Amino acid sequence: MAQKKSFNDQQDDKHYSEGRRNFLKQSSLLTALAITPPYLLKAAESELDEKAAGYFEKMPLSIEINGVNHKLSIEPRTTLLDLMREQLALTGTKKGCDHGQCGACTVHVDGNRVLSCLTLAVMVEGKKITTVEGLADGDQLHPMQEAFIKHDGFQCGYCTPGQIMSAIGCIREGHANSDDEIREYMSGNICRCGAYPNIVKAIADVKKGGQKL
Amino acid sequence: MIHFDYIRVSTTKAAVDAIVKDSKAQWIAGGTNLVDLMKKGVMAPDKLVDINNLALKEIKKQSSSLLIGALALNGPVADNELVRKEQPLLSLALQAGASAQLRNMATVGGNMMQRTRCPYFYNPDMPCNKREPGTGCGALKGFNRMHAIFTDSEKCIAVHPSDMSIALVALDATVLVSGPKGDRRIPFQNFHRLPGDMPQKDNTLERGELIVAVDIPDNKFSKNVHYLKVRDRTSYAFALVSVAAALDMQGSTIKDVRLAMGGVAHKPWRLPEAENFLKGKTASEAVFRQAAELSMKGAKGYGYNNFKLRLAPTSIVEALKAASGKK
């Protein structure tokens, strides 16, 4: 909770002026305040001082995400995943384990698939990031997105953005030459619904199509 | 994660200076292990010194070795044509480690610097002589299924988690480091250490010594190699036991051989007795079995990991069979 709150405090209000997400956050915060004993509120206040100090420790960051340039000021401890989700309202990239074990947060940095939960945002200064939001060309879905729909490569869909970003990387890296190879090189993306067979089919189909990804 | 300062450096000298003058500063390269440890509160540097701008990414053929820069990434190294042709064992070991995304982030230098995945080390509420010397080893009488069967001290029975390092120790690699007192070459066998009285020290680097490259001498192990990794799932899990096997065969005679194991000790575990025994012998399952038995001298189980006492020799035999083509 404490961590979440500190992110909320960093947020740019304009992204959060509407929507269910915001309502839920505000209402749960109000509920929390109402039931919080006074001595804890006092502690929260002194934490605010720390945040004020933290403000001066922010670093400038300029990155390009899905073709849009961002000039930001961030704390060095902010991961790329948290920056995108909490400060830029790019929630397509999912937070699964937050420890590099599930692959839900997979994005491309300069075209290579990496885990955004283990990437400090300050370390991708000047780089080009692509997330699942950046794949479609207007209404035209990316071939991998089309293939996931065609082959029913998901059930609940939570791991899907990571699966799709990873799948594109798998083909680009030249490791989608057989079902076994696809399984091995996609093993960093966990799907608790067990949609694996259809994910493999989707990737094999795109690979067969031979398009440049 | 706690607050920390962050700076970027672009020369080896600046990288070394930044660490020498600030005792709580730490280098960061791929960050795949360090960022995770910082999130868990296991490590808490005051300052991160980003070394990714250093020119240490090159892979190049020398007159009698292959030199791999410390910042070369695990995935690209595994796929590199030179590496696949000259040192296929290294390529196989790298492919067996982590996931494709992590291999695109993790560097060669960082891979050998990664900390153990012992759950007692990873949990600041648990005793651990490696994380907090003097608190005891939680694993010794605890849940030690992943732990060592070879050690020189019961102060720590954690294992080194790297696959890449198992291949590098087998291939007699050398680690090139640059530090405040100049440059130094460390034989890979001496790079990682057994816990002894200082389980907090994973390796023999001095404060301020930066890994700049790994040098692998040319060898005849371009064909009969195998990296066997036995784990709880087929892919993307740490080794229970792994075996790197490299053979130089003349017909069915073993001219030369290298063997090393992972998942069994605090450091990549070379098997010199087995190697000496196998040299000059005719390859057969019976001979491999004898070599494997020789390798188990001094092995000890701690309860949950007793199965490794059988799994390890069996894995050695299987790896040798696969490497020799005697499947």
Side-chain angles (χ1 to χ4, degrees):
Chain A
M1 189 67 204
Q3 190 128 10
K4 266 263 181 292
K5 235 172 84 186
S6 74
F7 280 120
N8 287 342
D9 291 340
Q10 293 175 27
Q11 282 158 7
D12 191 338
D13 282 339
K14 71 175 187 287
H15 294 306
Y16 288 89
S17 55
E18 78 287 295
R20 181 177 62 118
R21 234 169 251 284
N22 190 34
F23 171 75
L24 285 174
K25 271 185 187 162
Q26 281 181 349
S27 59
S28 59
L29 189 64
L30 287 175
T31 315
L33 276 176
I35 59 168
T36 307
Y39 65 91
L40 279 186
L41 285 176
K42 198 108 189 150
E45 260 173 40
S46 62
E47 206 181 285
L48 278 179
D49 292 339
E50 276 178 39
K51 273 177 213 133
Y55 181 80
F56 296 102
E57 291 160 21
K58 286 187 178 180
M59 303 259 320
L61 172 70
S62 74
I63 48 171
E64 185 187 314
I65 305 178
N66 300 330
V68 178
N69 286 307
H70 295 268
K71 290 217 179 299
L72 305 159
S73 175
I74 60 158
E75 290 184 8
R77 64 178 169 176
T78 312
T79 62
L80 177 59
L81 176 63
D82 285 335
L83 171 70
M84 294 189 304
R85 289 185 56 86
E86 308 282 343
Q87 296 184 45
L88 302 175
L90 287 167
T91 51
T93 307
K94 301 301 179 210
K95 181 182 278 198
C97 68
D98 206 27
H99 288 280
Q101 297 176 4
C102 76
C105 68
T106 303
V107 298
H108 296 170
V109 173
D110 286 348
N112 299 309
R113 53 174 163 165
V114 300
L115 301 177
S116 60
C117 77
L118 292 181
T119 302
L120 295 174
V122 283
M123 291 176 68
V124 290
E125 162 77 24
K127 308 230 158 139
K128 289 190 168 115
I129 318 297
T130 308
T131 72
V132 73
E133 291 105 327
L135 291 180
D137 182 6
D139 287 341
Q140 181 62 46
L141 290 179
H142 184 278
M144 193 62 77
Q145 291 173 306
E146 295 274 16
F148 267 66
I149 294 169
K150 179 178 158 197
H151 292 280
D152 200 14
F154 48 84
Q155 203 176 109
C156 83
Y158 195 80
C159 73
T160 310
Q163 297 279 4
I164 288 175
M165 299 312 287
S166 195
I168 295 167
C170 183
I171 292 181
R172 276 187 193 160
E173 290 160 17
H175 289 299
N177 299 306
S178 68
D179 287 1
D180 276 350
E181 194 180 26
I182 291 171
R183 277 191 278 271
E184 173 62 34
Y185 281 83
M186 287 295 292
S187 67
N189 292 81
I190 311 290
C191 168
R192 63 146 288 175
C193 302
Y196 299 114
N198 293 354
I199 293 171
V200 172
K201 277 183 204 156
I203 298 169
D205 197 5
V206 175
K207 166 74 184 174
K208 208 171 69 191
Q211 288 146 287
K212 193 175 181 316
L213 299 182
Chain B
M1 230 186 303
I2 51 121
H3 265 298
F4 53 84
D5 290 334
Y6 168 87
I7 60 163
R8 290 182 198 105
V9 291
S10 50
T11 65
T12 304
K13 188 181 179 307
V16 170
D17 287 350
I19 292 298
V20 169
K21 71 169 185 245
D22 189 340
S23 68
K24 285 191 169 170
Q26 187 152 359
W27 289 308
I28 186 163
T32 56
N33 190 206
L34 181 57
V35 172
D36 189 28
L37 288 165
M38 289 168 69
K39 284 185 179 184
K40 294 267 185 188
V42 177
M43 292 175 82
D46 277 359
K47 183 193 276 183
L48 289 184
V49 179
D50 184 344
I51 58 170
N52 285 293
N53 290 338
L54 270 57
L56 300 173
K57 285 198 170 72
E58 209 181 349
I59 301 173
K60 62 180 174 210
K61 187 75 188 83
Q62 311 274 77
S63 59
S64 59
S65 68
L66 185 67
L67 191 74
I68 302 176
L71 289 175
L73 300 175
N74 287 187
V77 172
D79 283 344
N80 181 275
E81 280 307 316
L82 262 178
V83 175
R84 288 164 65 121
K85 186 168 145 274
E86 306 252 331
Q87 305 293 351
L89 182 64
L90 174 61
S91 182
L92 292 175
L94 279 166
Q95 280 164 6
S99 68
Q101 292 97 312
L102 288 164
R103 294 194 295 267
N104 279 346
M105 305 169 73
T107 63
V108 164
N111 188 317
M112 63 182 88
M113 292 301 291
Q114 65 181 305
R115 311 301 308 270
T116 182
R117 295 320 197 276
C118 171
Y120 296 91
F121 173 74
Y122 248 80
N123 184 345
D125 295 331
M126 289 287 181
C128 171
N129 284 327
K130 183 180 279 300
R131 182 174 23 78
E132 214 177 321
T135 55
C137 172
L140 196 58
K141 292 190 172 144
F143 188 62
N144 49 33
R145 185 169 172 271
M146 298 296 287
H147 291 71
I149 51 173
F150 296 103
T151 186
D152 67 343
S153 154
E154 294 192 343
K155 289 194 168 164
C156 176
I157 55 166
V159 296
H160 187 70
S162 162
D163 292 297
M164 179 196 78
S165 297
I166 310 307
L168 288 177
V169 79
L171 297 169
D172 275 338
T174 302
V175 186
L176 278 60
V177 304
S178 189
K181 293 181 205 149
D183 298 344
R184 181 160 84 98
R185 296 173 68 93
I186 308 172
F188 207 90
Q189 175 65 27
N190 301 340
F191 182 82
H192 295 98
R193 55 186 297 285
L194 287 173
D197 282 334
M198 281 192 294
Q200 68 273 27
K201 263 182 84 69
D202 294 347
N203 55 58
T204 53
L205 286 177
E206 304 284 341
R207 175 88 191 157
E209 280 187 324
L210 178 71
I211 302 168
V212 294
V214 175
D215 197 28
I216 311 171
D218 290 350
N219 57 48
K220 299 247 170 78
F221 306 118
S222 57
K223 196 167 146 250
N224 293 108
V225 294
H226 192 69
Y227 188 76
L228 176 69
K229 188 175 182 185
V230 185
R231 43 192 157 169
D232 285 332
R233 54 186 183 199
T234 319
S235 180
Y236 197 24
F238 287 99
L240 292 165
V241 167
S242 69
V243 180
L247 294 164
D248 175 14
M249 305 282 291
Q250 195 168 50
S252 53
T253 306
I254 300 166
K255 280 184 71 184
D256 197 6
V257 54
R258 304 282 176 74
L259 276 174
M261 262 197 290
V264 295
H266 194 262
K267 62 184 284 186
W269 197 246
R270 186 82 180 256
L271 310 176
E273 288 88 356
E275 289 178 13
N276 288 334
F277 171 80
L278 287 170
K279 271 177 212 164
K281 297 261 190 328
T282 302
S284 73
E285 181 159 351
V287 164
F288 295 157
R289 174 64 56 188
Q290 281 176 280
E293 296 307 327
L294 277 174
S295 306
M296 297 308 291
K297 230 188 294 169
K300 183 182 171 193
Y302 292 93
Y304 287 104
N305 71 347
N306 287 352
F307 71 96
K308 289 191 183 183
L309 300 174
R310 282 183 63 199
L311 181 63
T314 308
S315 302
I316 294 170
V317 173
E318 289 305 312
L320 283 167
K321 276 162 69 180
S324 66
K326 293 210 170 298
K327 260 279 180 203

